[in-house]
Amino acid sequence: MSDEGKYTLETTRADKSVWLMKCPPVVTRSWQAASAASGSSGSGDLTQNPIVAKVVLSLDLLNPDESSAMQFKMEMAQTDSGHTPKSYSLNMFKDFVPMSIFSESNQGKLALEGRVEHKFDMEPHSDNFGEYGKLCRERTNKSMIKTRQVQVLDNDHGILMRPMPGMVGLVSSGTKDKQKKVTPTKGPEMKRTRRDRREMEDIIFKLFERQPNWALKQLVQETDQPEQFLKEILNDLCVYNKRGPNQGTHELKPEYKRATEDTKDNV
């Protein structure tokens, strides 16, 4: 078969008008069951294309121009057992994006089956509101049924869960390590209160007299001040070492170093 034959599209039914209906799952399951039953029984045209429903058109001849003059109702040929509605109202729409229906056979042949003329939304007819309400309640009750069950053990002493003799050594060391590891929990951080700016500057000068280089975390611990507040003061008083042996620490600017040394000399 050539490549042209593989992608041939049958268009003899391209102008055929078709309806597009949005069906509830209960209707789809009923039609699929009818199609499967017809395929497993006998042969012939009726069994190959089973009648699954009929559409009744009601027309108000006194007011034919009104939009509500034409009403569609679909009646199912057969329904599943239970409270499945048998009649449905079809709400017709004409204002939609133009669409066409395509099909593909088991042999891979593609065909254009027609263009969509009417689009319908389906809802239970008012005659079946009682059955539809019962069906909704059945669904709700089924969804509330718990599939998991709790089983009470007769032997509640835990004997069967204890390791048998000789099985203690089979426990992998990795499991013991996992059991020993405890994830550290961070306690709530205490809210630090800012001191006076000049008072903090004096404290920082005294700290730099003790040692020339300080990391930000060390200063937070020493002064018990908010980190952002300390950063503002350090930006004015210190230089941050980005590289070298004192990388990641602060040291006083040269002018403040000289002032500190002069103060020492005077003392």
Side-chain angles (χ1 to χ4, degrees):
M1 192 176 190
S2 61
D3 293 339
E4 294 181 359
K6 288 182 181 179
Y7 302 105
T8 300
L9 179 65
E10 178 65 36
T11 59
T12 55
R13 296 183 294 275
D15 296 330
K16 182 180 178 182
S17 297
V18 296
W19 289 2
L20 178 64
M21 289 194 298
K22 186 178 180 180
C23 303
V26 64
V27 176
T28 304
R29 287 194 296 267
S30 178
W31 287 353
Q32 289 175 348
S35 177
S38 65
S40 60
S41 62
S43 61
D45 295 339
L46 293 178
T47 56
Q48 291 296 328
N49 298 296
I51 298 175
V52 293
K54 66 177 181 179
V55 178
V56 179
L57 171 61
S58 301
L59 181 63
D60 188 358
L61 298 178
L62 298 178
N63 301 301
D65 297 333
E66 295 184 4
S67 58
S68 61
M70 187 180 299
Q71 296 182 355
F72 293 88
K73 176 183 177 183
M74 190 189 76
E75 296 180 354
M76 301 284 290
Q78 58 182 0
T79 57
D80 301 333
S81 59
H83 302 289
T84 305
K86 298 179 177 60
S87 302
Y88 296 86
S89 297
L90 303 180
N91 303 319
M92 182 175 66
F93 299 92
K94 289 186 177 180
D95 186 13
F96 57 89
V97 178
M99 292 180 285
S100 299
I101 304 299
F102 296 85
S103 66
E104 184 178 1
S105 65
N106 295 332
Q107 291 77 24
K109 295 181 179 180
L110 303 176
L112 179 57
E113 299 295 340
R115 54 182 177 82
V116 177
E117 182 179 3
H118 298 304
K119 182 182 177 182
F120 294 89
D121 284 343
M122 189 182 300
E123 62 181 7
H125 196 267
S126 57
D127 298 341
N128 299 125
F129 278 169
E131 294 180 356
Y132 184 67
K134 293 178 181 177
L135 178 63
C136 293
R137 284 192 292 274
E138 285 182 358
R139 290 176 180 171
T140 304
N141 293 334
K142 288 181 179 178
S143 64
M144 295 176 64
I145 296 176
K146 296 181 179 179
T147 56
R148 296 182 178 180
Q149 297 181 355
V150 178
Q151 184 178 0
V152 181
L153 300 176
D154 296 334
N155 182 7
D156 58 349
H157 301 294
I159 297 177
L160 298 178
M161 299 177 66
R162 297 176 185 172
M164 298 295 291
M167 294 182 64
V168 179
L170 298 178
V171 180
S172 61
S173 59
T175 307
K176 292 182 180 179
D177 295 339
K178 290 180 181 179
Q179 293 175 354
K180 291 180 181 178
K181 290 180 181 178
V182 179
T183 54
T185 55
K186 294 183 178 180
E189 294 185 359
M190 299 298 291
K191 189 174 181 180
R192 297 182 172 92
T193 306
R194 290 190 178 192
R195 292 189 179 186
D196 181 67
R197 170 89 181 200
R198 290 195 174 183
E199 181 183 356
M200 275 306 304
E201 289 180 357
D202 293 339
I203 294 174
I204 289 177
F205 282 135
K206 290 179 180 179
L207 290 173
F208 277 99
E209 288 178 6
R210 191 197 308 174
Q211 66 182 47
N213 296 91
W214 287 88
L216 178 60
K217 290 184 178 180
Q218 292 176 328
L219 291 174
V220 171
Q221 294 175 355
E222 290 284 339
T223 60
D224 194 26
Q225 291 295 294
E227 184 175 329
Q228 187 61 34
F229 180 48
L230 279 177
K231 282 184 178 179
E232 295 174 3
I233 298 176
L234 293 175
N235 288 337
D236 296 336
L237 304 181
C238 301
V239 177
Y240 182 72
N241 296 312
K242 295 183 179 180
R243 48 180 71 88
N246 297 320
Q247 182 179 3
T249 62
H250 293 79
E251 64 180 67
L252 288 176
K253 291 181 178 179
E255 57 269 27
Y256 293 116
K257 280 185 179 180
R258 286 194 296 268
T260 306
E261 291 173 357
D262 294 340
T263 304
K264 283 182 179 181
D265 296 337
N266 293 330
V267 174

